[in-house]
């Protein structure tokens, strides 16, 4: 995994301090993978745990759209360059669904244990995004009807599972938010085409089974 992540990082332009440029990552997502992105609101410079949006009680500081709004997400190279030229430290927000992957997220500790269990079961996963609080497993786009049928058929679904479908979003690496760094727990393989992602059914089935087998309690976060 470290070898894969290292190769992926070498594909991105770097600042003088060795960290990948956000604009390079945003252009990869938008122009090579055709994932619509937009800049997120920044963390408040007066305190990283605070958000610069108008909501004083914001629960995801620096990790959500604000100006522009989510509907502005695009794959247009000129727009992406302009955004990050003017806001070089802005987090990269992916508008999930449609042309882009959706995601299933859960709290970090249960997610780490679930991924270990999935590896033992031989379940293939695509990219997994990790933030200090939650991990997001990228999946193929799904409809609300498809998701509703899937959840209805389950006897038990942990309440802490969240589904990021059409109209949703997640923050992508190498963003920095008020909660900390966003990284790849499972990095996409290098290449120009959009990374492979599994069906949502396979992920939900496997995660629920893994959490049940390991007896992991997934708290509401």
């Amino acid at each position: 995994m470290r070898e894969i992540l290292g190769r992926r990082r070498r594909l991105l332009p770097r600042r003088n301090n060795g960290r990948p440029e956000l604009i390079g990552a945003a252009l990869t997502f938008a122009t090579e993978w055709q994932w619509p992105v937009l800049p997120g609101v920044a963390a408040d410079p007066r305190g990283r745990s605070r958000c610069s949006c108008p909501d004083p009680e914001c629960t995801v500081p620096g990790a959500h759209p604000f100006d522009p709004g989510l509907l502005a997400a695009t794959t247009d190279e000129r727009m992406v360059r302009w955004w990050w030229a003017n806001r070089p430290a802005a987090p990269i927000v992916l508008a999930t669904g449609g042309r882009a992957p959706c995601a299933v997220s859960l709290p970090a500790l249960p997610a780490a244990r679930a991924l270990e269990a999935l590896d033992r079961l031989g379940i293939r996963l695509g990219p997994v995004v990790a933030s200090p609080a939650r991990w997001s497993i990228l999946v193929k786009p799904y409809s609300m009807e498809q998701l509703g049928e899937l959840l209805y058929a389950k006897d038990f679904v942990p309440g802490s599972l969240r589904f990021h479908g059409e109209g949703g979003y997640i923050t992508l690496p190498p963003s920095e938010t008020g909660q900390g760094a966003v990284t790849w727990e499972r990095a996409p393989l290098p290449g120009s085409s959009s990374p492979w992602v599994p069906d949502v059914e396979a992920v939900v089935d496997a995660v629920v089974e893994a959490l049940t087998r390991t007896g992991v309690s997934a708290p509401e976060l």
Side-chain angles (χ1 to χ4, degrees):
M1 179 54 63
R2 290 180 180 174
E3 180 183 355
I4 292 172
L5 183 55
R7 290 201 302 267
R8 180 63 197 148
R9 284 175 174 164
R10 287 195 290 272
L11 296 177
L12 301 177
R14 292 182 178 273
R15 298 192 185 101
N16 291 335
N17 63 8
R19 290 190 56 234
E21 288 273 17
L22 285 161
I23 190 171
L27 286 169
T28 295
F29 302 141
T31 64
E32 296 184 19
W33 299 353
Q34 292 297 293
W35 292 1
V37 298
L38 75 160
V41 63
D44 192 324
R46 296 170 296 176
R48 286 182 53 83
S49 62
R50 300 168 59 183
C51 193
S52 58
C53 75
D55 182 3
E57 305 298 327
C58 181
T59 58
V60 284
H64 66 90
F66 173 58
D67 182 19
L70 186 62
L71 291 178
T74 184
T75 59
D76 182 77
E77 179 178 352
R78 291 173 299 176
M79 193 74 249
V80 171
R81 286 189 183 277
W82 186 86
W83 274 333
W84 271 274
N86 287 276
R87 299 169 57 185
I92 303 170
V93 174
L94 167 70
T96 53
R99 293 173 290 173
C102 295
V104 177
S105 71
L106 64 162
L109 179 57
R113 294 178 179 173
L115 260 61
E116 290 176 358
L118 298 184
D119 287 342
R120 290 194 295 270
L121 293 171
I123 303 296
R124 182 187 178 192
L125 294 177
V128 178
V129 176
S131 71
R134 298 185 69 85
W135 290 9
S136 299
I137 303 171
L138 300 189
V139 297
K140 292 179 181 177
Y142 57 78
S143 67
M144 292 304 296
E145 291 78 11
Q146 181 184 5
L147 179 62
E149 292 177 1
L150 172 63
L151 299 182
Y152 182 77
K154 292 289 180 189
D155 294 328
F156 165 74
V157 176
S160 60
L161 280 183
R162 293 179 187 167
F163 299 91
H164 309 262
E166 188 77 33
Y169 63 88
I170 62 170
T171 307
L172 293 175
S175 302
E176 291 279 348
T177 73
Q179 296 177 329
V182 180
T183 61
W184 293 114
E185 175 60 29
R186 300 287 173 91
L189 294 175
S192 59
S193 60
S194 183
W196 178 88
V197 292
D199 291 325
V200 66
E201 291 92 344
V203 168
V204 172
D205 288 347
V207 167
V208 170
E209 181 178 357
L211 293 177
T212 302
R213 282 190 178 190
T214 57
V216 173
S217 174
E220 292 282 355
L221 286 174

